[in-house]
Every structure is written in structure tokens, then in C-alpha cells.
Amino acid sequence: MPLYIEEDRGYMPELNPIDAEEFYISAYMNQPEATDHSTSLANAAGSPSLQERIRSINLAQGSLSDIPSAIRNTKQREVDLKVARRALDLLDKSQSLQNRKIGAEYVGSNISAFSLDALSAVWATTEDAFKQDAALALRQLGFALIDKSLLYTGLGLAERMKMFRMIIVPIEPIGMEKQIQALAAITSRGKDLEPFGRSLVVYLSAQLGPIHEASIEARKKLKADRADTHTKACAMATRKALFNLFSLIEDVFRAHPDAIDGHELKVIVHDILKILQTTSSERDMKGALSIIEAVIQVSHIPWESLRLCIEVLGAISVGIDDLRDMAFRCVRDLCSIEQPAVLAVLTDTAFSPTQGPESINVKGAVVVISHLIQVDGDDQQPMIHPSQLFDSLFDRIKRSPKVLFRQNWLGLFGQLLVVPRFMEYILLRDEWKTIVEETIDIVFYDQRETQFETIVLIPGTPTYFTCPYEWETPDLSSLTPATKENLNHIVSALGNVWPRMAKEAQCKVFQLFYFLRSILSVQSQRLLISCIIELDMLCPNHSDWDECLLQLVTKFILAPTADITTRLLVLKSLKDTVSLLISEDHRSRYRAVVMPMLDKIRWHEEEDLHFMNNMADLTATYALIAESSDFDHLLQILYIMSSVVSKIHVDFPRLYENEEAAARNMVSVVIVRLFLQCLTTSAARTSSVYTALIEVVRSREFAPCIRLPALRLMTRLRCDVDYAIYVTPNADSLGLAAAVARTEASKVRLSVYQNQGDRSNLNDDQSGSRVGRSSTISHSGVTASRASTQSAGRQEAETRVHPPQWLYPGLPGLPQDPPEKPSLLVKQYTPGAPKDITIRLSEWLAEVISMLQTPDDWEVYSYVLVHLPSQLSNPTLFTTASPHVHLLRNVVVSQLMGGTFRTPPAPTGVKKGDVAFCLYNTLIMLLGYYERFSHGEQDDMVRAILDGISSWDRVAKVCIQGLGICCHVIPKSVAKSVGPILQKLSQIITQTHLAMDILEFLAGLARLPDVYDKLREDELRTVFAICVRYLEHSRDQRTKLRTGTATDSTQAFHRSSGISGDSGAPSESSNIFEVQKDLPQYIFALAYHVLTIWFLSIRLVDRPKHVGWITSNLASRDDQGNNVLEEQSQVTLDMMHRTAYLDLGETIPSTEFAESDGTIFKKSWLLGLSVVTVETASETGLTHLVKRQASGTTYAIYQQNTARLPPHHVRGPTDVNTPLKGAKPRINVFPNHVFLQLTSTIAPTPSPMEAICLPDDEATRRAIAAFDRNDTVDGYKVGVIYVGEYQTEEGEILANFEHSEAFEQLLAGLGTKVELKGAIFNTQGLDKRDDSDGTHTYAWRDRITEIVFHVPSMMPTNKKSDPTCVKKKSHIGNDFVNIIFNDSGVPFKFDTFPSQFNYVNIVITPELPLGRRNPGVVAPSPENQPNQQKQLYFTVQTQSNPSFPDLSPAASSKLLSLKHAAGLVRQIALNASVFSNVWANREGGEHVSSWRNRLREIKKLRARFANSGTSVSERYPGAKGSKTYVEGDPFTGLVVMGGLAEDDGILSSLDFSRWAGPNPSLD
């Protein structure tokens, strides 16, 4: 439906007739009154007065009085009469324009009240509004009245004709809008043309030109400066008028096509096309196109306007995007009617000799043709079928000289080649020959001299291909740029479908490409090369393949100015050809092309990184098959490339994964790849590449990104026990990478690195990198400019901040996966080994030392810092580099002790302490080389580690852990410094985040008596002071967590990241609070554990000296400030009570009494916090004493040493020697006597201190039996799992029933092999009756702890009855801690044994696992070792639940020999088990130890049997203590722990050593 633009009217309320009457009367009465209304209303022509008009209305035929009275009563007639009179009154010429507008609205609102005569009278009254010279406002009033009058339902044809004539009276342009609107209204938008049909068409046709011209003129004025309001209004009005005119004409065409005769049709179409040609307004074009579309659909385009119409539609489809679809729609409609004519016009236009290809008409014709080929008509066929187009085109070609439409043909052909349907038609039919031949004929028409069939002499082209013409050297210089551009477009379009062509068609098209080779664009040149490749012209099977390669090399590779993408394509072709060289002849001919090329290239003129990288790739690829004489030369060329690339600078965006580095390091990457490839093929070549890599690393003038790939390889070099070299894919350095802000988790730190660098002040010793001119990156490649100058110094260079060039996780460390097995060809250098099959790792270590000693680029320096410790974990790699290992140790120790190591660049955000953190990890890894160092050097290592605890706030943790390693590896050196170590630890106990590490260190040290046996008494007290301090801290933390007042102290307990003192949160953020909550409990348990084990570690003679101090510090304060002893303190006190004067160890029950001893009587008492059981033989008095305490049970034998009666003793009836009468045995003693003799005197005993005699009933026996089931030590179970060669799955690992000798040695170091059947200890779930879990296992125990090891490979394996080893999994799956002996050769994954209870894995990896050994490789015997005996080395590292903190010194990988690994691993397992028990019980409360359980059982008995209501104030004889009591003195005591203590001396009351006295001196 056409759109009509209407003027916006002000708001006028709709009124009913009565209201309207009052409204208009009111408006009328408010106007100034005329002196004589009758005179003023008469016009000069003698028009009737108002009264006369009213009278005529009354008498007129069809007046209001004629309406049937049923509808119009008298009152209504009077109202209608008043309405008509008032309307005439308001519309009178004498009224103001405003009143007359009100009158027009009044007429519209009350139109039903008017008769036809009354309405005619209204028109007569307003006839001045329809005159040509009337003012615009007055004319608009007339149009408004017409609009209102059209609401009248009784208008006849005469009235409509009259109104039509009133409307079409000429008007100025600004009023045309209303005029067209009035015409649209009177014709009902073109639907009702009676009685003025043809007149309307003529009028509309006549108005097209004037209104269009008026619109153009108004727009011109509008564009002029300072256009006034009238001009703007006129422009707007004419624009709307033209658009409404278009809409009305379209409506008329669609509603009454027969109303337009042939002449008017020609005129209208001609004018519309003229408007389309001249207008620049898309709005006008759209309206005009609507008319054209209507004409095509309901009528026809006159023949004389058809060409112009098609040309205009084509021009619009090319030039106006928004109208393209509409133009195409018109063309399709036209083609469906006049297809042959349309096609003829299109082809004639496309090949017009007077219009070039740039003509809008030619372009339009081409676009329209392309469109019509792609769309279907009603018959589901293309509106122009390609075959029809071909016929038309070739007919047109025959009728004109080809040179006249060369350009047009090329333009059309190029455009059609991108039309899918056209290409499909061509591909399915043999049209290529015709198309290509015509194209060649047209292009070279003026050069053709002869016409004959001949074979094209193109190297490598199949001989069956022929063409009509041949020129030795086609001259294309005369072609215009436009022709060349079109030809390149054709080549590009043909190239897109090249792969789908038949072979013969490809050859035909290739001929065209070859003829045009001198004018081809860069893109077309690439296409030509691609075609050469597709036609196998570079395949060595073709006779001239090397000549073709040479031409490509000469034209593109040796021309630095050639297009980079084309050069890269040629390089790819050269590289692809390498794989096809299967004979010596092929290689020789290829060498003749490539080697001269490499020598002729002026490398220092090359400035494109992509070219250099691809050239390096080609060189390395060729080097693999090159002659040995050429190999070293090719390596030299690669080194030159590295130097050149290092001086090319590209300005890349600052990203974490540095794109610049990725672009620039490819040259050294290919050298690395060459090393990996040669490792399994040639020892001599591997050695040469190794030397080249050393040179790259050594060349500090190279950019860091060039050296880093070489460093990535060098730091991954490893060797096996047979010195065979291999490369590990995993550098295992993620933890240290975080220390220097090189992990994803440290991106915040990297933002500082990037954003603050330009404002940073750097130290003098900092290094930098080369700087050069910037360049840009294009889609086709990277172009760069050569650095013209070097920076004045490294300090200046580092102020230019660059993004980090290595990051975890980032790009793969190696360009390809290394061989899985060690090389069978390449060995580490050893004395006597052939030099051509070995590489000297000492050279690499020398470079590392040089980089540490002399400031290097930070990227290189930081990479070495992070990755060196991992490489040092393979000591066999440096077997023959002992002097360099010594030097490395000296450098690291010296730098750490003196603080002379590298200071990081300030922009990195890395601190000097972070560098120290990495160096200490290197030093700790060097502990594995302890046998190579003197005792003095070992002492220096311990002192350096000790010094680090307080020197660098970021390394205290790793230093404490390092000291733990030293205790096992070089215990004598630690023994010399153990006093200062304890003193140092006591100075940092306020750093609560170190609590766990300090206590774990002390726990391990306590089990190494050879290390601490020289400690003085005050130094021992330092240990107890540390424990007490952490007890106080853990109590405080637990209280705060319990009351919800804990502050964010996660730094104290979270896993240390090693980054500038920050602590990383656990990986699961939701568990942060859990870790914070449970670590204080672990520290609490660990502190008591350390205190206990150290007390038991003191010589017996010295223990009582410490009881008083420890006891005084065991108590804590409750909320009221009273001293209280928590359960763990009570059991610790109980332990000291049992062991302060005894070191005999565990006791066992005695054998049964002999029958001759008499009847056995048994009785038990609660004595304080112990249960004493006395079993007495009534006749002999032999007594078995059992004292059950929280910390243990003591079994003893007591018997009165009864003297024989003297001879003069008068025997009584109860004397022991008097025979009894009868058969009953004699009863001489009861258990009560023994108990009283040992525990009491006649001194009064306060009720709270009285022993409680337990009833001899079943309940008591059950209670005591329950107590006895609690072990006297804390028991733990730990899995020890052997992982065989290449095993990664749970099932295959658990199915192992054998293990290696090294694993057996580890087990022997962990514990003792014990028999399970009949075991009297807690086997932690292992069967001890039927050997269902094996006959033996390993276990370890000291005086307070016991570990039973679950070893699956020692358990029975039956794959038939238990294919998934469920029996074994039932043990392993419930072990909190597992020791993994990883002999698989692949990294062990934490989730290999999925279980909700597996919290910690301690992974022990042999220096060379079975999975990395070559078949048949056996470690050399000691006599073949250079200067020292070979021993097995292992790396130890813990894996833990993501929510766990670091629980051991092995949180990062540590190197130990087998004899040292077992003790450390056992201690780690013990600590991890303690924490795991705390963690496992976090939901149900804290973990309760075995001793505490025993204490609770005793307290249950006291709660059940103790007297209630006993006074806490008792009088009793004086006791030895802080005060002296004499007979009669009062004493007020406090009932505590089943005893009575002084009110103000509870702590002294608990110190039993006060009254027990010291041990005798042994001096």
C-alpha cells in the first residue's frame, strides 16, 4: 500500500452536535462585531446576503425539512438549521482566517446536519479559497473544507467533478502537498476515479515534471547557506508532494490500469525514468521504482523505453544498495515477460562499443545478468539460462570487432565467474576451451599473426594439451591498467574453482595463466604457483622439475622485494619437494638449487620474520637428508639466521603469550627440532646441533626470544643410568615459575609488569634487550624493519617494558614430542667414550654458571632460575661435570650469603627475595650431590640455608624445609649448627604462617638422635618454648573460629606461592574457611606431638629438669581467667608422669600364677586419673599389678619378701607356717592389702583424693575391656604402591604382585617386615588370621606412633576371582596417605586412585624409571664408573588434595639417594597422616588421639562411681610444697583431675617432680 504524507494538525476535540454548536457560537461571539452584518456579508458581485442563503436553504429541494419525521423531529430540524446558518456565518469572507478555519472544522464535525444544497452554499461561500491567486493559507483552508466535505455521504458525480476542479486549480509548490492529499482523498487513493478518470491521469502525468523540478529547486535552496524557514518548509512540502504523487500514480495504475491509454503510459514511464536518471534522492527513487514495478506487473513497459528502463534498473542495482532488491525484482518481473528482449538489451549494453567497463550502464548490465542467472523463474529454471547467455554472447562477439569490447568482455566474464550457478554449468560442460580461447583471442586479437594448432611448450604440461595460438613472448605492455585488473580478476576467479576442474580443463586454464604471467598481480602469481604445484610440475618425476624450481627461486626467493606471501608459497613448495626426493639423482639436482640459493641470499637485507622463519624451517628440513659435508654448513646458516632475526624488531600488542617472541624465535625452534630429530638418527649430527644450541645460548647479543627455545631444550636434557641422552617433555617447574610471576595465577602481577614499566627506576646491574624500529603486522605476513641502532645500555633497554616471553601454561616447551625412550646413539660424555657419539653437559652447565655470575637478560636469567633445579634432579646427567657442579655450588652459596645475585627489573613486580627463593631451591637440589662436596662445603650449605631464614622474608619456608632435607642427607653438618638452628627458629615463631613448617622440622629432627645429641639443656628448652608458643596461638585461633571473630588470617595458613611473600589461596576457594579452620587444629596436634617426642628424646637423667617448666606452660586460661588443662595437656602430663623416671619401654602382662600360689583374687580401684588393678595369689602373696593410664599401661609384679619364722617364734593358728586343717588352701593376703601398702598411710585422705573401689561386675569388666582396646600409641595406615612400566590405570597398578629391587629396598627403609598371622599389634585392617591380605607387611613404630604399610604388591592377586582388585582397593582406597613408587616413566596423576579418602600422595620417582629405559639396558657396574660408585637417586614430591596446604619439604621436587629417601618419606607420611586425620574429622569435631580416648574412658568411670557432694575443703596433714602445713592448719583445696590442689597453686600442684625429686646424677 503506498504511503501518503499528511500534515500534522493541532489537537481538536471531537464534539457531539449540541456541544459543537455551543463551541462554535462561543468562538463566533468572541470576535469583534460588524456594524451591519447584512451589509458586510454581501460581496461586490452582488452575492446573496446571509439571510437570503439561509432562506434558500429552507426552501431548497432536499432540505432538512424533507427528512422523515420519524428520524428528524421538529426540534432536530431547528438544530440543523441553526448549524447551517452558523457554518455559513463562520465561513463568510468577512470573517478572519482563524474563524473560517473554525467554520471548516465545524462543518466536518456536523456534516450529517447539512443538506446537499447547504453544502453547496458552503462551497460557494468559500470559493475564494480555490482561486489560483489565493493566499497559501486560504488555499489550505479550501483543501481542509474539501477534506471535511468528503465525509458527506450524498455527494453525486456533479459535486465530485466540481470538487475535483476546485482541487486542481494551480498552486505554488509549497501547497502541492495538500493538493495531492486532496486528490488522494477524493479518489479514495486511486480506487474511485468517477467521473474524472482520464482527466486525473492527464493531470497527474502533467504534474510529475513540475513537482520533481520544484523539489530539486527547493533542495538546492535548502543546501544554500542560511536557508530561511520558508525555504525549509517549501523543501519539505515539495518532497512530500512528490512522494505522495508517486504513491497516487502507483495506486491508480494498480486499481485502474485500463484508465491509462498508451500515450499517457509512454509519457508517465518516460518521465519516471527521467526522474530516476536525474534524482539523487533515494526516497524519490523508491517512489519512482514503485511506479515502474506497478507498470511491469499490471501493464507493460513501452518498447521505446525498454532499453532505458533496463539500463536504469541495472544502474540502480549497482549504485544503490538499499534499492538493489527492488530493482532486481523489477528486472525479474520484466524478464518473465520479455526474456529474449531483456537478454538482448543486456548483452548489447554489456558489449557497448561506446561505453567502457567502468560505465554504470555496463556494470549494471553485468550485475543484472549475474542476478538473473542465479534466480529461478516460475518453471524452477534460471531466468536466464547459461546456455542462452552463451548463445547471446557469442552472437554479439561475431557482430563486432573484438578489440572494441575487450574490456567489456573481460569485465562480464570476470563477474560471471563468481556466480555459483554459472560456474556449476561450466564445470558440468566442456565450455572451458571456448571460454579460454575467446578470452585469449580477445586479449591478444591485435597481436595475432598466424593461426595454427601446436603444442604449448610449458615445462611439465601434459603433451595432450593444445591451444589455437602461440607467441614466443606475448607483448602485454599495451594493455590498459583496467584490462590487466580484469584479467587478474578472471585468474583469481578461475583459481577458486581450479581444484574442481578436470585435468584437461586445468591445463587449458593454466595456459591462460601462463600467457598472462608477466602482468599477474601478487595474488594471481600465488595462484599460478599453486597451479604449478597442482599440475605436479615440481614433482621429481617430471623431467624439468628442477629447472622450474630454479625459476621460482630466482624470481621470488632471491628478490627481497618480491611479495612476502608469494615467497612463502615458494618456500613451502621447496620444503614439500624434500619429501619426494627418493633417489640420489633427485637429491643432487635439489642440492644444485637449494645450496646456491642459501649462499646467494643476502641475509642481512632480509627484514621479514615470516620469511626468515620459513627459510629456517626449509633449511632444517633439508639438513636431515643433506650430505654430512653440507650439514655443518647448514647449521652455520641457521646460526646466521638467528643473528639476523634477533635484530629485527616487531611492535606487537602487549600480551601474556608474547606474539613477538613466537614470531621471532622460530629460527632457534627449528634448530631445537633438528636436535630432536637427529637424536634417534645420528649421534654426530646431534653433537653438532648441540654445539650450535650452546652457541645460541651463549650469544647474549641475540634477543631473548631467540635464546629461549634453546634454553627450553637444554633444561629438558636428561640421561639414564647408562648415560644415554633423552629429553623430558615436562620441565616440572610450575611451582618456581610462580615465584617470578610466570603463571596464569600471577596475571595481576603481570599487569604491573606491563603498565608501570615506563615509570620505573632500574638498578645499574639490570640487563635489557635490543630495541629497534617498530613495524606492523598484515594478514599476509609480518613485515618488520631492521633495528638501526642498539640501546645505549641494558638499563635503558629494560625501561622499555616488554611482555613476558615465557609463561605457565603457555606455548609447548618443545616444537614436537621428544622420543619416548633414551637415545640408543647419543651418550653423555664419559672418559674413554667416542667423541662423535657424546655430548658434553659440562659445557651447558658452564653457560648456566656464567649466566648466574654475570647479569643476563631477565627473560633468560629467570628461565634458568626456574628450570635449573628440575634438571639437577638428574645427577647422572652431570656425572663427569663434578668441577662445574662444585663451581655452581660455590656460586649459589656465595651469592645467597652475600646477597650479590641479580635484582629483578622493577617493572616485573618480582622482588629480590623471589630470586633468592629460586636459588635456594637450586641449593637444596644440590644436596643430592653431597658426596661430591667436602665436609666443609656441606657445612657451608647448611649455614647458607640457615642464613636465609631471616635474610629474605620470602624464603623462610623453603629454607626450613631445606634444613629438614639436610637432616637426612648431611646430618653431621646439621649437628654442628643445630643449636643456632633452634635459636633462629625461636626468633621467627611470631610468623605464624611458618608454624607448620617449623613444627614438622622439629618432629623430624626429634627422630634423628645423631643430629641433636649434643644439645644443651637451654637449647632443649627452646624446643619446648616453640611448641608452647604455637599451642597458645592455635588455642587463640580455634577460639576465634569458634566464636566467629577470626580475622582474615589466610596468609598464615594458605599454601605459600613464593611470590613476593604473598600466599596463594587453595585452589578451591570454597574451602578457604575449611583450611583456615582446620590448620590450627593440625598445629595444635602437631605441637603436642613434637613436645612429646622431644621429651622422650631427652636422656632419662635430664627429663625431670624439664617437667616443672613444661607443666607450668601446659595450662591455659578459660573465659573467667582460671587455669585449666585441656585433654591433650592432661595426657601429655600423664606421659611425663610415666616416663620422667623410666626408660624401660613397654611392659607386658606376666604369665599365669602357679597353682601352688593359691587362689587368685582380683580387685580394681580408680586412683586419680588411673585405674589400678591388683591380682594377688592368696597363699604366697604374689601380686600382678596393672596400672592403666592415658599414655600407657604398666604391668608389674609385687611380692612381699616374707621371712621365715625364727625358731623361738610361737606359732599361732594364722601364722603362715602353721599347717591348715582340712583340704582348703590357706588365705594369707588379699589385693586390698597390696593396694593400701602401695598407695596409702594412716594420714587422713581428703574425700576427693580417696581411691574408689570399683565393683566386680560385668559393667566394670566391660569398661576396662573397652579401655584396653585403645592402643597405647597413635596408629596410622599408609599405602605403599608400586607403579610398573608405563602403567597409568588403577586396575593394572593394583594387579602388580611383583616389584623392583629398589622398591624392596625402600620398603626396608620405611619399616620392618612383619608377619601378619597372629600379629599382636593393630594391623590397620589387614587380615591376621588367614593370610588373605598376604603373609607379611611392613610396619614402623616408636614410643608414641605406629605406621602399618599397606603394600598391594605383597597382597595376593587373583585376576579371575577379583579382576578389578577390589580387595586391594578396599585398603588403598581408605588410606589417607599413599606412597607411590613411580617406575612407569610417565608422570603420576593424583586422581589415579579415585577415592574420597585419598588426601596425599608421596610420589617417589627413580632417576630413570623402568618406563624410560631401553630394553636390555643395564646400569654399569661400579668399576666402570668414573671415580665414584654409582648409587640410585630418586625425586620425592607430594601431591595433595587441592584444598590442602603444603605439608612437607617435598611440596616441590627434592633429590635424594635411596638410603636417605626412606626416612624422609616416612616422616612426611606421618605428618600427612596427622593432618589427614584432623581434616577427616572436621565435620564431626576435632580428631581425638588414642591417649585422649583412654583418658575419656577413665573419666567416664570417675563420673559413674565418684562420690557426689564431697566437700572441696578438707583438713589434712601438711604436704611438701610451696607452703608448709603443720598439724591443725586449715587447707582449702580445689578438686582437679581427680585430685586436690591448692587454690592458688594448681600448676605447682601438678608438678610431680617437686616431690618426686631429681634423678640420680650419672656423672
Side-chain angles (χ1 to χ4, degrees), residues 585-604:
D585 176 64
H586 292 165
R587 294 193 182 105
S588 176
R589 293 168 67 178
Y590 187 84
R591 182 188 183 281
V593 175
V594 173
M595 293 303 292
M597 174 194 73
L598 293 174
D599 291 334
K600 290 179 182 179
I601 293 177
R602 295 187 288 271
W603 297 109
H604 295 284

Side-chain angles (χ1 to χ4, degrees), residues 1487-1542:
H1487 170 64
V1488 179
S1489 66
S1490 177
W1491 287 1
R1492 290 175 64 185
N1493 270 325
R1494 291 165 64 92
L1495 177 63
R1496 290 180 178 184
E1497 292 295 333
I1498 294 173
K1499 288 184 176 181
K1500 287 179 182 178
L1501 287 171
R1502 288 198 64 84
R1504 180 179 176 187
F1505 295 107
N1507 296 328
S1508 60
T1510 304
S1511 172
V1512 298
S1513 178
E1514 300 286 345
R1515 292 177 177 268
Y1516 73 106
K1520 195 175 181 179
S1522 57
K1523 295 174 63 176
T1524 301
Y1525 293 91
V1526 298
E1527 291 291 336
D1529 287 348
F1531 177 86
T1532 302
L1534 181 69
V1535 178
V1536 176
M1537 297 163 51
L1540 195 64
E1542 299 178 34

Side-chain angles (χ1 to χ4, degrees), residues 1286-1294 1392-1393:
Y1286 291 113
Q1287 291 181 342
T1288 58
E1289 300 298 326
E1290 177 187 64
E1292 58 183 354
I1293 294 172
L1294 292 179
T1392 301
F1393 300 102

Side-chain angles (χ1 to χ4, degrees), residues 338-413:
E338 301 287 351
Q339 195 260 12
V342 170
L343 181 57
V345 170
L346 288 173
T347 53
D348 280 350
T349 303
F351 292 109
S352 173
T354 61
Q355 300 184 74
E358 297 303 315
S359 167
I360 190 67
N361 289 338
V362 174
K363 287 183 176 180
V366 172
V367 168
V368 170
I369 290 174
S370 302
H371 175 72
L372 293 176
I373 290 177
Q374 296 181 78
V375 298
D376 293 334
D378 295 337
D379 57 354
Q380 303 302 315
Q381 292 296 317
M383 302 203 74
I384 293 182
H385 198 275
S387 61
Q388 296 174 309
L389 178 61
F390 272 114
D391 293 342
S392 181
L393 289 177
F394 293 131
D395 178 69
R396 185 67 180 81
I397 289 173
K398 294 176 182 178
R399 292 187 284 108
S400 302
K402 295 180 181 180
V403 73
L404 296 180
F405 50 81
R406 172 189 291 164
Q407 298 278 55
N408 301 46
W409 164 265
L410 296 178
L412 175 62
F413 185 36

Side-chain angles (χ1 to χ4, degrees), residues 132-269:
Q132 185 173 354
D133 56 354
L136 177 62
L138 192 58
R139 290 296 302 270
Q140 290 176 343
L141 172 66
F143 293 138
L145 185 62
I146 291 294
D147 187 51
K148 302 299 182 182
S149 299
L150 288 173
L151 298 175
Y152 190 76
T153 57
L155 293 175
L157 295 180
E159 286 76 22
R160 284 173 55 81
M161 191 64 179
K162 181 178 181 180
M163 293 172 68
F164 173 72
R165 290 171 180 168
M166 293 165 61
I167 293 172
I168 64 175
V169 173
I171 191 173
E172 59 181 301
I174 196 171
M176 292 179 179
E177 175 192 0
K178 296 295 183 182
Q179 188 179 49
I180 300 301
Q181 286 180 2
L183 286 173
I186 198 172
T187 61
S188 298
R189 296 191 172 184
K191 295 182 179 63
D192 187 3
L193 303 186
E194 294 295 334
F196 36 78
R198 189 174 184 282
S199 299
L200 175 65
V201 174
V202 173
Y203 177 78
L204 295 178
S205 175
Q207 294 302 309
L208 272 173
I211 295 180
H212 181 238
E213 293 296 333
S215 176
I216 294 175
E217 190 64 27
R219 278 199 293 269
K220 288 180 180 179
K221 292 181 179 180
L222 189 62
K223 292 180 181 179
D225 294 338
R226 299 179 182 178
D228 55 22
T229 303
H230 176 75
T231 302
K232 294 178 180 178
C234 185
M236 181 62 68
T238 54
R239 180 175 64 85
K240 292 180 179 180
L242 182 61
F243 191 82
N244 287 343
L245 179 60
F246 288 149
S247 297
L248 183 57
I249 293 176
E250 179 189 359
D251 289 341
V252 170
F253 264 104
R254 293 190 181 281
H256 299 281
D258 297 337
I260 305 173
D261 60 17
H263 173 73
E264 293 302 331
L265 178 62
K266 294 177 182 179
V267 172
I268 292 175
V269 171

Side-chain angles (χ1 to χ4, degrees), residues 1348-1381:
V1348 175
F1349 298 103
H1350 293 166
V1351 188
S1353 57
M1354 296 178 67
M1355 300 178 185
T1357 302
N1358 191 328
K1359 294 293 289 183
K1360 292 183 178 179
S1361 61
D1362 187 10
T1364 59
C1365 300
V1366 174
K1367 180 71 171 175
K1368 294 183 179 182
K1369 179 64 182 291
S1370 66
H1371 294 295
I1372 297 301
N1374 288 286
D1375 292 340
F1376 293 148
V1377 180
N1378 286 313
I1379 299 171
I1380 310 296
F1381 192 93

